[in-house]
Amino acid sequence: EVQLVESGGGLVQAGGSLRLSCVASGFVFDDYSIGWFRQAPGKEREKVSCINLKDRSTYYAESVKGRFFISSDNAKNTLYLQMNSLKPEDTAVYYCAPSAWCGSTPDYWGQGTLVIVSS
């Protein structure tokens, strides 16, 4: 059974930082790409970042480039998202999700972790 458990969200002031974690189980971690997605109230879910765990290539949405950094600890089956210089528009529920490659649609989702950035 695939399980994805996100943590690390919270309330932070604009300009602050948070690090999100996603602990994965139920699949061979290294064989996949894993992405961070977010969904703000009233908006569609969007891909924020993704990492191919085979070749370590990464993707970032334009809105977060230079501020967010994705990484993984494959020995711990854990994905991270370091979020710096946070803005109120980063407020959303953040999810991690594995997929065959960063361009494909995930089949499994975690429960999400809420990030609120106050101005």
Side-chain angles (χ1 to χ4, degrees):
E1 178 188 4
V2 173
Q3 289 191 329
L4 303 148
V5 180
E6 301 96 336
S7 63
L11 174 64
V12 63
Q13 287 188 331
S17 298
L18 283 174
R19 188 175 82 152
L20 306 184
S21 300
C22 168
V23 179
S25 61
F27 62 98
V28 181
F29 192 75
D30 297 8
D31 284 352
Y32 286 80
S33 295
I34 302 187
W36 284 101
F37 298 75
R38 68 186 180 187
Q39 187 165 21
K43 295 188 177 181
E44 293 188 355
R45 185 151 47 191
E46 63 171 341
K47 184 186 298 181
V48 173
S49 183
C50 185
I51 183 168
N52 181 313
L53 294 175
K54 291 182 180 177
D55 65 15
R56 310 302 293 181
S57 60
T58 57
Y59 160 85
Y60 294 95
E62 284 296 325
S63 59
V64 306
K65 274 185 181 178
R67 300 189 298 122
F68 290 12
F69 301 94
I70 193 170
S71 63
S72 70
D73 184 337
N74 290 21
K76 295 181 179 180
N77 282 14
T78 301
L79 181 74
Y80 302 100
L81 186 68
Q82 178 66 43
M83 306 188 296
N84 301 324
S85 301
L86 283 161
K87 304 176 181 180
E89 51 263 44
D90 295 318
T91 294
V93 178
Y94 285 71
Y95 303 87
C96 63
S99 57
W101 61 90
C102 282
S104 60
T105 300
D107 292 321
Y108 300 95
W109 299 88
Q111 85 289 347
T113 186
L114 176 62
V115 172
I116 300 174
V117 184
S118 63
S119 57

